[in-house]
Amino acid sequence: MIEKVYYKSDNIKLFKGDSLKLLKEIDDNSIDLIFSDPPYFLSNDGMTCKSGKMVSVNKGEWDKIDTYTEIEIFNEIWLKECQRILKDNGTIWVSGTHHNIYSVGNTMKKNNYKILNVITWEKPNPPPNLSCRYFTHSTEQILWGSKNQKSKHLFNYPLMKKMNDGKQMKDVWKMTSPSKSEKKFGKHPTQKPEQLLERIILSSSNEGDLVLDPFQGSGTTGVVSKKLNRRYIGIELEKKYLDVSIKRLET
């Protein structure tokens, strides 16, 4: 197990570094749930609209890559490590858009993951499409998978049904983007709402289980894991986002 901890408190551990290296140091079959929001590789010097203003789509060096082949190699490395460290009844959730989700899905199938669902996260308040040459992008996809084709994965079905007024929960989830209060200590360009992580963690883990986020950004997965009495490991390359995470965790 990785030793050098950037931050530790109760059942929370944060590590600073490259996930492709640090994942290799985690024990086999030790993680109950993985949520991953890997780079979408969207930083191509284009423009988008945010809060009524034109802004660059560039997010950072971590979001740049030269070729699709490099994207596939990147996904192959981290997904194989996640499969190794996932428990037999554990599951992995991977968030993305059309820019990377097909590569992720193909890599998961290639490595014998079982894809359980493709969740569509619908955003009721998406930014407009500036070129007016496409439909407005208002969704992200989240692949939910188990370790292999024979895995007996954990799914808290009764709880999900209860949360959905006694009806089976569908695979389209309508949720707003993160609120201002979730960004008061700083924000990450691909930050996910706490409501989304709460549903994911409640659906596929139990109290005391160990949750991992290998690209944790500003720490939403950790914040929700702490709230729901799960143990948590987060890995992040950039110090500024780790420091935001710590402030959120200590609030």
Side-chain angles (χ1 to χ4, degrees):
M1 181 59 198
I2 43 185
E3 295 292 340
K4 295 181 180 178
V5 182
Y6 185 84
Y7 171 83
K8 181 178 180 180
S9 176
D10 297 326
N11 292 319
I12 306 291
K13 291 182 181 179
L14 305 184
F15 296 87
K16 181 182 182 301
D18 184 347
S19 284
L20 301 192
K21 297 177 181 178
L22 293 179
L23 284 171
K24 296 179 184 297
E25 300 184 37
I26 298 178
D27 294 339
D28 294 356
N29 306 305
S30 61
I31 306 296
D32 295 287
L33 185 155
I34 299 171
F35 175 80
S36 177
D37 190 18
Y40 296 2
F41 302 113
L42 282 171
S43 296
N44 58 5
D45 298 323
M47 302 298 291
T48 188
C49 181
K50 194 167 188 178
S51 301
K53 299 179 181 179
M54 290 184 66
V55 297
S56 171
V57 299
N58 291 352
K59 297 173 175 62
E61 291 300 318
W62 52 267
D63 193 52
K64 294 181 179 180
I65 206 161
D66 291 330
T67 67
Y68 186 74
T69 299
E70 288 180 282
I71 294 175
E72 290 195 313
I73 293 170
F74 175 85
N75 287 330
E76 177 84 16
I77 294 171
W78 73 263
L79 279 167
K80 286 186 77 171
E81 289 301 323
C82 284
Q83 187 174 39
R84 176 185 63 79
I85 64 181
L86 198 61
K87 289 184 179 179
D88 289 339
N89 68 336
T91 55
I92 182 171
W93 300 75
V94 187
S95 176
T97 62
H98 68 87
H99 304 87
N100 75 329
I101 204 68
Y102 299 114
S103 172
V104 169
N106 286 335
T107 303
M108 290 176 73
K109 295 289 283 186
K110 175 184 172 183
N111 287 284
N112 202 39
Y113 277 99
K114 183 177 181 180
I115 295 180
L116 305 169
N117 278 113
V118 180
I119 302 297
T120 298
W121 169 31
E122 179 188 356
K123 308 171 189 178
N125 56 343
N129 183 271
L130 293 177
S131 72
C132 301
R133 291 172 54 82
Y134 309 97
F135 297 105
T136 300
H137 297 291
S138 62
T139 63
E140 290 189 31
Q141 280 65 51
I142 307 170
L143 302 182
W144 182 36
S146 59
K147 185 165 184 168
N148 56 55
Q149 298 297 318
K150 296 181 179 180
S151 299
K152 303 295 183 182
H153 65 279
L154 171 67
F155 177 44
N156 291 323
Y157 171 80
L159 178 58
M160 292 299 100
K161 188 174 180 181
K162 181 180 179 181
M163 289 173 61
N164 197 43
D165 297 323
K167 299 178 181 179
Q168 287 190 341
M169 190 171 288
K170 298 179 181 179
D171 60 1
V172 177
W173 299 354
K174 190 171 184 176
M175 299 177 181
T176 59
S177 297
S179 65
K180 289 184 178 180
S181 64
E182 294 175 34
K183 298 181 178 182
K184 65 181 178 180
F185 297 113
K187 57 187 178 181
H188 189 278
T190 62
Q191 188 167 331
K192 298 296 178 285
E194 292 181 17
Q195 182 184 9
L196 180 69
L197 269 299
E198 184 170 317
R199 183 174 295 182
I200 286 171
I201 291 171
L202 284 173
S203 71
S204 51
S205 69
N206 295 318
E207 289 193 10
D209 281 354
L210 182 56
V211 177
L212 166 73
D213 189 333
F215 309 98
Q216 74 141 30
S218 57
T220 300
T221 310
V223 170
V224 177
S225 295
K226 180 180 179 181
K227 174 184 174 183
L228 298 177
N229 298 315
R230 272 67 169 174
R231 295 175 292 140
Y232 176 72
I233 294 174
I235 302 173
E236 172 55 39
L237 188 60
E238 297 200 19
K239 179 181 183 298
K240 64 180 179 179
Y241 295 128
L242 283 164
D243 292 341
V244 171
S245 303
I246 292 168
K247 290 177 182 177
R248 295 180 68 191
L249 287 164
E250 292 183 343
T251 300

